[in-house]
Amino acid sequence: MRGVVFDGTQPQVVDDLEVRDPGPGEVLVAIAAAGLCHSDLSVIDGTIPFPTPVVLGHEGAGVVEAVGAGVVHVGPGDHVALSTLANCGACTDCDRGRPTMCRTAIGRPGRPFSRGGAPLFQFASNSAFAERTVVKAVQAVRIPSDIPLTSAALIGCGVLTGVGAVLNRARVDRGESVVVIGTGGIGLNVLQGARIAGASTVVAVDSNPAKEEVARQFGATHFLASAEGVRELLPTGADHVFECVGSTALIRQAIDLLDRHGQAILLGMPAATAEASFVPAAMFLDKSILGCRYGSSRPQHDIALYADLYRQGRLLLDELVTETYPVEDFAKAADDAHHGRVARGVLTF
């Protein structure tokens, strides 16, 4: 079968992948579509260290082909969106409703794939850049069959991360002010999360003026090419500032833009060794710096919620898909994503 493999040097599209059958508590999914997220590119450029060779992809949707023993919530023929959280469901964090903190779901990649008899790692417990993948049952969330799979694919990472950061982590309230630095795939979902939450002022900041139209479509009330102009709109600062780029300089700007009791939420992925600085004295006005993993999501609950919001017309998914590419055109999709030509490119099988 076809898939995208990174061997530690370069990614390539291959056609001789194999994947094992699902075991107990697992699901075999035929992938129909998979979004190309910057996290995949970060594995390729080394920003995210990951063992190789690895089958890339982590934002996908498809149709269940088979289930292992004990799986009852999905069955063959069901449409599913996939999460990356292979959480155990039984530890203290899972029991508290914090599956993103489950220690069995972090940094323990399996190897369900093989090529020429040699095993390959699975990226983010998912590997959606393959015609078929095996995931834990908890990762497969049933969705209505009338949702296009090219759109549903984006729920599993970009939407969970961006909208989830607003609703679950920052808990933005009605009438509050939000600044979003960076309007890529994650930033656009933060914008629509702020709109859904009822924020009154939503400022999108991006150095590319061509992104203004789509930023406003997703919920921005204002658009700026630089964070320098935020104080003119919000003289006392913002209630919430989301940094969606991964730049240490922009992290500092996000903190400096906070009002009293404001929160800076860090969503961008800097290099693993990068360090950011701030003025501690400013934090004594009840300000906070919040990390956020995967939108602090509960995928079985949140994916179903977002699917429902999409069907109500309140959550934009189709509009996120700038371009679709057959998997064979991975190199072009990656180049478009790297140069910011798309909100989200989606690979199809």
Side-chain angles (χ1 to χ4, degrees), residues 7-20:
D7 63 6
T9 302
Q10 63 182 5
Q12 59 178 321
V13 180
V14 303
D15 60 6
D16 57 352
L17 276 180
E18 296 182 358
V19 66
R20 62 170 174 78

Side-chain angles (χ1 to χ4, degrees), residues 325-343:
Y325 311 81
V327 67
E328 290 81 6
D329 288 346
F330 173 79
K332 183 179 187 305
D335 187 66
D336 286 348
H338 177 72
H339 288 95
R341 301 185 190 108
V342 293

